[in-house]
Amino acid sequence: MQAVQFSEHGDTDVLEYGEFADPDPDDDEVLVDVKAAALNHLDVWTRRGLPGIDLEMPHIPGSDAAGVVESVGDDVSRFEPGDRVAVSAGVSCGHCEFCRDGDPTLCVNFHIIGEHVRGVHAEQAAVPADNLVPVPDGVDWEVAGSTSLVFQTAWRMLMTRAEVKPGETVLVLGASGGVGHAALQIAKYAGAEVYATASSEVKLEYARELGADEVINYENEDFADEIRDLTGRRGVDVVVDHVGAATWQNSLASLAKGGRVVTCGATTGPNPETDINRIFWNQLNVLGSTMGTPGEVDDVLELVWEGHLEPRVRDTLPMSEASRAHEMLENREGFGKVVVVPDSEL
């Protein structure tokens, strides 16, 4: 088969699209004929190299994809050839104390397809049956292949960890990115008043279209000062921060007393200075969040399949142009998701 791959960490020039051995599915796996896949910032970090993760090379990146079941392993009963499916990339062991207690995202052996093991940016992928979800007829492959990771992540952040309630105020940082544009929609769906930041007027207009009540251009304005002005010095109930070091202090400064900051990542770095005095004096809550449980995945994807939530696709490229797709994420070009399609599908 043809696959996106790299044999060493580095810039986009390490990416190649070429021949790779066909997958050999295990008994609990499904062979998927990939129709569309999508990039996440995780693909960029994996390509560059993540501390503590020693990949088998060459590595196929990619945590998001959708396609048609080609064949199933002997132990698989949920799917059969011809089924339409999408990948949910979080893998758990199923038997540790956290899995047995019903939260596999806390699994002691939790790992992500495409980050810790070979991914799905290829013509075919062998995926554990537990990591596939059905895709209804009529859902476009671009939508099915670009939804799972960011929408499950944002859903768990807002609905499970931060427990957003109708009437609360939510600030979404980086609303033009994958997680950001999903979080904006989910916060609005939950009945919150939504504030969103982005780096250009075009991106801010997209944020308005998706439901943002107020928008802030963080390139021109200090978003913490703007939030204080817009809320009468009160601050917001929840901040969604997946940016990290560059925004952390302002995220804390944007919160009302008793507010919650919820984070799923640190694009600009994992070790910010933090204002402990502000945290204890204002009794703030700092919440971490990773991916989603199978039930959370089902809940949010049903809303996407029904059209209540919408992944925005900024561009669709052949997999042979994976380097360009990575550049679009690194350079923060456009709004929403970048989709890649096997060249044989074009």
Side-chain angles (χ1 to χ4, degrees), residues 272-314:
E273 292 187 8
T274 196
D275 189 341
I276 296 175
N277 290 343
R278 186 186 295 275
I279 291 173
F280 73 70
W281 188 254
N282 288 347
Q283 301 184 56
L284 305 179
N285 298 276
V286 177
L287 305 169
S289 189
T290 296
M291 302 293 281
T293 67
E296 290 164 342
V297 173
D298 290 345
D299 288 344
V300 71
L301 291 188
E302 183 176 358
L303 293 173
V304 174
W305 306 152
E306 292 177 351
H308 301 295
L309 303 173
E310 175 192 359
R312 287 291 180 96
V313 176
R314 69 180 83 171

Side-chain angles (χ1 to χ4, degrees), residues 69-70 72 76-83:
V69 172
E70 183 75 19
V72 302
V76 175
S77 58
R78 291 181 60 224
F79 300 102
E80 59 185 27
D83 286 349

